[in-house]
Amino acid sequence: MFKLKVPKEDRTRIRNKLKIVDSKKYEYVITTDENEIENDKINIVFSEEQAEKVNRMLDSIVKGEDIFISVESDEGIKHIESRRIHYFMIENEEVVANLMKHQFTVKMKLYELEEMLKNKYFIRVSKYALVNINKIDYIKPAFNSKLVLLMKNGDSVEVNRRYYKAFKQTLKL
Amino acid sequence: MFSFFEFLYNNFIIIGIVLASLLASIILFRTVLKEFLFNRQLNLTQNVLRNFSSLKIKRPSLRPLYKVVLPLLIPVVFVLGVVRNPIVYDGHIKQVHSKEDMFNLHENFNSKFYSTTLRTTDDIDSQAIRDAQFQKKPNISGDYDYVRVVDDYIVTLRSNTIEVTEFSSEDLEHKLSFPVISEEYDNVELLGLTKNGSNIIVFGTKELQSEESNHRYTFAKVYDSHDDFNQIHSYKMSGNPSNISFNENRLILVSQQYLPFYDDDFEIDNYLPHLIHNDTKDEQMYSTIRHIEGTRPENFVTIFHINFSELDYDYQTIFTDYENETEIFANSVYLSSTSYEFKQISDYLELEDPVEKYHTQLSKINVNPNKAGVHYFRTNIVSGSPTKEQSLFVDRDLTMVFTENKDNEIHAFRFSNRLDIWHDTKIDGFDSIKSIERFNDALIITDSEQQKVGFNISLPSSIQSLDVSDFEYPAENVIMKDEDIMLTMHMDDGRIFVTPHSKHGDSYVYLDYYQINMATFRINTLTNYYSLNDIYYRNVANILIIPRVITTNGENDEYTTEIREYSFNRSNYDFDLQSSLILPESMHSINPFVYRLHTRGNYSYHITPLGVALTHRDNPTEIIDFIAY
């Protein structure tokens, strides 16, 4: 997404400040030298003193505006930020949103959620599960060409063989 | 070296384990690598997504790679599980310390010897081995006989009985008769008797038959002629006798005891060698048993030694192969057998042939002539397996072993008294050995096709070839020999022939023209029992006394024992019949044909197992008195 272009001696320091990971395919050039501007990209030229502001700007570029999901709770309908949801799972023919400690029923189909959240880094891993990449804690390969995703809330979600390739591509492996 | 294909063919289980563990290692390696790459990429992706969560992200690690090594350890653990501790030998010998040691030796040998598809322990016919050991007749040597004269007593063996006849100039009196073994006569074989001072010593074997196995023990009993022939000592020695040497006051016995390890109810304690002296049992201790390197541990070879003058005994047991050769010579016992050298890998792999090399071991066990001690002396091992019919030859100043290699080449090894190799030579053109004979300084070896090869063994440390075509065989069974003439006896088809030889130069010339046939009728059984001991020659009068068997009634085959006295005319080699004595029918014994002549003063005592007849020299055909038992 980003390409950081700064003098070599400053690179590590600035990268740590901006928390930037370079990508091969990028849309944004982040630089302290206006000579490094690339015309076909979006260029952000800044001085190092402005790093904190640039950092917040990059956060909003990447995360954008969050999407809220309506869920049912004992207290009625609630709207939850999608980034707080670890994964959606079909249980008893109902879609359940699993958060850190809570579960809520969602009155939507899984494929509708998938479509809605595809730009929010949710990925379908099986016929029954949609997973937030940012909430995956660890990936355990299983012997039968499957993967087991250990989520940050302690749950495990299986990546079905059919979705293995797509999952791999999403991780850019 | 074994070939790779031999290894594959014989060890598919091992190969399977190795391949499976390799496959498991590869799968685990892929899984661990995949885990590492996935999680590294997950971290990277989450960083790109600027997901700096308060929860710490797990870092991928290659530490699980240790799992990859685990399957590779399986064949290593398997190999270590089946590899046994090597057995350490000191000078080719290992002292056994306990019963467990013996089982370990046996299992260790079998784990190698049977690590092939060609043979299994199921092929072992324990019963056949035991029967063969039981049926084998012992080699007996030394100064022993069926008849002995002690003071005024003639002592004779008859079946299981000892007959004692008191004799004086003109009188015979049957003093007593007693069985050597009081029960089960049929299973007793008296082998001979000898005397030691005023004592008579009888030795023999007794069979013990049971449903499981037959075996025999050897016994020796001592009777005091000064005390009405009361038994004063008895000795029983375990195991099937293979060699017995009896000389005046000493008995050396080699016994064999096969150990049926594969029998369900096998209990080794029941097979421990032992000696029972006057009902006191002395059993071999495990800690004194020795095992010879590379030999199949399935048999006890025990050397017993009894010194009747010192009333002392000792014995030594070797734990070795049941296929062995033993010889007693002078005060030593020699033991030879195959010694196997296994391929090291045979500990845990099945091979076409786990034996790397075949050797022959020669061991020497000494007995103390003055006391009774039996002491293992030394073992030497030479290349090649023992030749089949005979591989061990021991004689005065001569200890030899014959071996055969994989190309069927025969090698002869000559050893010093200390069993160092003095000389070894290949016997060209020979692929078997049928018999080995010594004639003074010549050793004549015959193969199964009656080919002969000769060696000069006059020099102690060498073996020199000898031309057998020019070799003159010394006469055997010499009745008499002086500076001019020699008389020999031989038997042919049950007939007794006496042949004079005339001396020319250094050698005697065979005068077959003058040969006389001393037996009129063919008695086949005679060949088995008649011996040189039955013929007497009085040098002074050139008198030849020949006992023989004749028929008294033509075709009815009723035999009697006749004693013929010939005078031998040295000038014309003529035998002139002087007298003929037919023993009373009740004294006639053909099976065995034993006749002994004892003379005192002018009287002759004609002894058979069935009685004694007395004659006077002046009238040898007239029986003055006789006793039949």
Side-chain angles (χ1 to χ4, degrees):
Chain A
M1 186 174 268
F2 302 112
K3 176 79 176 175
L4 184 64
K5 287 188 167 183
V6 291
K8 198 175 178 183
E9 61 272 16
D10 301 331
R11 186 176 176 76
T12 307
R13 192 180 65 252
I14 295 174
R15 176 193 278 164
N16 287 341
K17 279 184 181 174
L18 298 181
K19 298 173 185 168
I20 282 182
V21 177
D22 282 346
S23 303
K24 282 180 186 171
K25 290 179 182 174
Y26 55 92
E27 300 166 88
Y28 298 86
V29 174
I30 318 293
T31 180
T32 52
D33 184 354
E34 57 188 19
N35 296 323
E36 296 285 350
I37 290 171
E38 292 181 33
N39 292 331
D40 57 338
K41 308 288 183 196
I42 300 166
N43 297 280
I44 298 173
V45 184
F46 73 104
S47 63
E48 201 173 337
E49 295 80 50
Q50 299 168 314
E52 188 56 35
K53 284 183 180 175
V54 173
N55 192 21
R56 286 198 295 273
M57 188 193 303
L58 296 180
D59 269 350
S60 61
I61 290 171
V62 172
K63 295 176 182 173
E65 284 186 17
D66 210 345
I67 295 173
F68 286 84
I69 306 294
S70 299
V71 299
E72 291 180 354
S73 71
D74 297 341
E75 297 158 2
I77 304 289
K78 281 177 73 175
H79 301 286
I80 298 173
E81 294 164 299
S82 64
R83 62 187 165 85
R84 288 178 58 204
I85 298 171
H86 287 234
Y87 64 97
F88 296 96
M89 178 73 81
I90 297 175
E91 291 175 16
N92 299 325
E93 299 183 354
E94 286 188 327
V95 176
V96 177
N98 290 271
L99 281 73
M100 191 66 189
K101 291 178 181 170
H102 299 98
Q103 291 182 321
F104 300 104
T105 306
V106 181
K107 287 292 180 189
M108 286 178 79
K109 302 290 183 192
L110 198 61
Y111 68 86
E112 292 170 343
L113 287 167
E114 185 185 5
E115 184 62 27
M116 183 194 289
L117 298 170
K118 67 182 176 186
N119 292 325
K120 291 297 171 188
Y121 303 100
F122 273 81
I123 181 168
R124 190 77 174 264
V125 294
S126 72
K127 197 175 171 184
Y128 308 100
L130 183 68
V131 169
N132 181 348
I133 290 176
N134 281 324
K135 296 298 179 184
I136 299 172
D137 191 28
Y138 201 76
I139 303 170
K140 290 286 287 182
F143 286 112
N144 48 1
S145 295
K146 288 182 180 177
L147 295 172
V148 176
L149 306 178
L150 304 178
M151 306 307 289
K152 288 183 178 172
N153 66 356
D155 291 351
S156 299
V157 180
E158 194 177 88
V159 179
N160 197 284
R161 206 175 297 164
R162 189 177 151 198
Y163 295 88
Y164 180 91
K165 205 172 174 181
F167 181 80
K168 211 171 147 184
Q169 277 176 347
T170 304
L171 285 187
K172 295 187 177 58
L173 278 173
Chain B
M1 285 294 293
F2 62 96
S3 71
F4 180 67
F5 293 106
E6 184 187 22
F7 169 77
L8 287 181
Y9 178 77
N10 291 294
N11 299 284
F12 59 92
I13 292 175
I14 303 266
I15 295 287
I17 290 172
V18 170
L19 288 179
S21 63
L22 272 177
L23 191 65
S25 280
I26 290 167
I27 291 170
L28 278 172
F29 179 76
R30 282 192 59 189
T31 308
V32 171
L33 190 65
K34 204 188 281 183
E35 182 177 325
F36 176 81
L37 293 175
F38 263 110
N39 287 288
R40 194 181 67 167
Q41 191 60 37
L42 175 69
N43 282 342
L44 204 61
T45 306
Q46 288 180 343
N47 280 335
V48 169
L49 297 176
R50 303 185 68 76
N51 175 38
F52 309 116
S53 159
S54 57
L55 287 168
K56 195 173 173 66
I57 296 169
K58 278 189 183 171
R59 295 285 166 193
S61 166
L62 282 174
R63 260 183 297 176
L65 271 179
Y66 74 88
K67 294 177 191 167
V68 176
V69 182
L70 286 179
L72 294 175
L73 289 176
I74 294 171
V76 176
V77 169
F78 180 80
V79 165
L80 290 176
V82 294
V83 170
R84 290 159 199 284
N85 291 331
I87 294 169
V88 180
Y89 290 86
D90 181 11
H92 305 304
I93 272 288
K94 176 176 169 50
Q95 186 88 41
V96 174
H97 292 107
S98 62
K99 189 198 300 191
E100 288 69 33
D101 260 10
M102 300 192 62
F103 279 98
N104 285 341
L105 282 165
H106 183 255
E107 283 171 19
N108 186 283
F109 181 90
N110 280 10
S111 71
K112 297 177 168 81
F113 191 70
Y114 293 104
S115 67
T116 167
T117 49
L118 297 181
R119 53 178 171 253
T120 69
T121 51
D122 294 339
D123 300 332
I124 298 170
D125 188 347
S126 294
Q127 194 57 51
I129 296 168
R130 275 181 282 190
D131 287 348
Q133 208 169 67
F134 171 71
Q135 285 158 8
K136 193 173 179 186
K137 291 284 180 192
N139 293 324
I140 309 172
S141 59
D143 176 24
Y144 67 98
D145 201 357
Y146 286 86
V147 176
R148 275 285 185 266
V149 176
V150 190
D151 300 331
D152 293 335
Y153 300 108
I154 294 167
V155 184
T156 311
L157 290 186
R158 179 169 69 90
S159 184
N160 175 42
T161 308
I162 290 181
E163 303 288 355
V164 180
T165 301
E166 189 171 6
F167 70 99
S168 60
S169 298
E170 295 188 4
D171 193 27
L172 295 170
E173 184 187 345
H174 186 208
K175 186 172 172 63
L176 74 154
S177 168
F178 57 91
V180 176
I181 301 285
S182 53
E183 77 283 357
E184 296 178 53
Y185 285 12
D186 291 346
N187 299 329
V188 178
E189 185 178 6
L190 298 185
L191 299 171
L193 58 80
T194 189
K195 65 176 183 177
N196 178 35
S198 63
N199 294 338
I200 284 285
I201 303 163
V202 181
F203 69 101
T205 63
K206 184 175 188 314
E207 294 175 10
L208 294 175
Q209 292 175 327
S210 64
E211 283 183 12
E212 294 81 28
S213 69
N214 297 336
H215 64 279
R216 68 180 86 226
Y217 66 79
T218 307
F219 62 81
K221 293 185 178 241
V222 184
Y223 302 92
D224 185 1
S225 66
H226 289 174
D227 184 21
D228 290 333
F229 288 89
N230 276 325
Q231 180 183 302
I232 52 175
H233 288 286
S234 87
Y235 301 86
K236 285 182 188 174
M237 289 143 284
S238 65
N240 295 294
S242 62
N243 303 75
I244 300 172
S245 169
F246 209 128
N247 280 300
E248 291 191 352
N249 62 342
R250 295 194 301 130
L251 170 73
I252 302 171
L253 162 72
V254 181
S255 83
Q256 311 265 347
Q257 180 63 63
Y258 174 69
L259 302 169
F261 278 97
Y262 309 101
D263 286 7
D264 293 338
D265 54 352
F266 173 65
E267 183 56 61
I268 199 165
D269 289 339
N270 297 337
Y271 291 83
L272 269 182
H274 58 267
L275 184 148
I276 301 171
H277 177 214
N278 296 342
D279 298 329
T280 304
K281 187 174 182 180
D282 183 359
E283 197 167 65
Q284 183 70 279
M285 289 185 295
Y286 286 107
S287 58
T288 58
I289 296 172
R290 287 176 162 90
H291 171 65
I292 302 167
E293 184 176 8
T295 60
R296 184 203 312 243
E298 261 178 30
N299 188 55
F300 282 142
V301 176
T302 305
I303 295 98
F304 292 94
H305 181 213
I306 302 173
N307 186 323
F308 294 102
S309 296
E310 298 290 328
L311 289 178
D312 198 4
Y313 64 83
D314 192 12
Y315 53 100
Q316 169 73 63
T317 299
I318 309 288
F319 183 38
T320 188
D321 202 331
Y322 59 87
E323 289 180 332
N324 63 64
E325 277 186 58
T326 48
E327 287 285 344
I328 302 173
F329 187 79
N331 293 310
S332 298
V333 174
Y334 298 82
L335 164 68
S336 71
S337 62
T338 305
S339 174
Y340 301 88
E341 182 184 330
F342 294 101
K343 291 168 183 165
Q344 284 190 352
I345 207 162
S346 66
D347 261 334
Y348 46 92
L349 297 183
E350 263 193 8
L351 304 172
E352 184 80 26
D353 183 3
V355 181
E356 177 84 51
K357 288 175 185 170
Y358 291 84
H359 302 291
T360 300
Q361 69 79 19
L362 174 64
S363 298
K364 186 174 181 179
I365 299 98
N366 289 336
V367 297
N368 185 331
N370 301 316
K371 293 185 177 175
V374 181
H375 306 289
Y376 165 81
F377 176 65
R378 209 175 168 207
T379 296
N380 200 347
I381 294 181
V382 295
S383 60
S385 52
T387 47
K388 289 181 183 65
E389 300 271 343
Q390 185 178 358
S391 68
L392 176 63
F393 188 82
V394 183
D395 203 354
R396 179 177 43 83
D397 298 329
L398 187 66
T399 305
M400 293 188 73
V401 158
F402 296 84
T403 70
E404 183 180 359
N405 63 19
K406 283 183 176 173
D407 299 325
N408 287 342
E409 293 171 338
I410 305 278
H411 275 260
F413 293 86
R414 185 173 185 184
F415 297 87
S416 71
N417 272 337
R418 286 186 45 77
L419 296 192
D420 294 320
I421 298 174
W422 260 347
H423 191 85
D424 74 286
T425 187
K426 184 182 154 199
I427 305 179
D428 289 319
F430 261 51
D431 60 4
S432 63
I433 288 186
K434 186 75 179 171
S435 66
I436 306 165
E437 296 168 288
R438 180 184 185 169
F439 303 99
N440 300 321
D441 290 337
L443 194 73
I444 306 295
I445 302 164
T446 309
D447 73 358
S448 54
E449 293 171 359
Q450 294 302 310
Q451 284 189 96
K452 289 183 188 294
V453 65
F455 293 103
N456 185 332
I457 50 171
S458 57
L459 293 173
S461 59
S462 70
I463 309 171
Q464 294 165 333
S465 288
L466 184 77
D467 188 352
V468 284
S469 59
D470 292 342
F471 181 71
E472 289 181 14
Y473 291 89
E476 292 180 85
N477 293 328
V478 177
I479 298 167
M480 63 78 66
K481 185 166 80 172
D482 61 22
E483 291 177 353
D484 304 318
I485 286 174
M486 175 169 71
L487 290 179
T488 62
M489 180 275 280
H490 75 274
M491 301 187 70
D492 187 7
D493 200 18
R495 296 165 190 263
I496 309 158
F497 294 90
V498 174
T499 312
H501 303 245
S502 167
K503 191 165 188 183
H504 291 274
D506 290 336
S507 57
Y508 292 89
V509 177
Y510 188 73
L511 302 173
D512 57 349
Y513 177 77
Y514 298 99
Q515 176 176 278
I516 58 164
N517 175 4
M518 296 295 184
T520 311
F521 299 99
R522 289 178 8 179
I523 307 293
N524 287 328
T525 55
L526 204 61
T527 315
N528 298 329
Y529 295 98
Y530 198 96
S531 73
L532 196 63
N533 290 338
D534 296 317
I535 297 181
Y536 300 88
Y537 189 84
R538 290 191 189 127
N539 272 329
V540 180
N542 292 320
I543 294 294
L544 183 73
I545 297 169
I546 297 184
R548 60 179 204 153
V549 179
I550 57 170
T551 57
T552 52
N553 195 18
E555 295 171 356
N556 288 337
D557 286 349
E558 292 175 5
Y559 300 105
T560 56
T561 305
E562 183 189 43
I563 318 299
R564 283 193 166 186
E565 184 176 308
Y566 292 89
S567 66
F568 177 57
N569 188 329
R570 296 171 65 95
S571 58
N572 60 6
Y573 310 112
D574 192 21
F575 292 90
D576 185 20
L577 181 63
Q578 298 294 306
S579 65
S580 174
L581 166 72
I582 292 178
L583 292 182
E585 190 181 350
S586 54
M587 280 181 62
H588 168 76
S589 169
I590 196 169
N591 193 12
F593 183 88
V594 174
Y595 169 84
R596 296 288 180 266
L597 178 67
H598 179 71
T599 56
R600 181 186 279 181
N602 291 323
Y603 294 93
S604 296
Y605 302 87
H606 307 271
I607 307 161
T608 76
L610 297 179
V612 182
L614 171 64
T615 58
H616 192 278
R617 177 177 289 187
D618 294 339
N619 190 2
T621 59
E622 183 191 343
I623 293 174
I624 301 168
D625 191 10
F626 84 94
I627 281 174
Y629 306 129

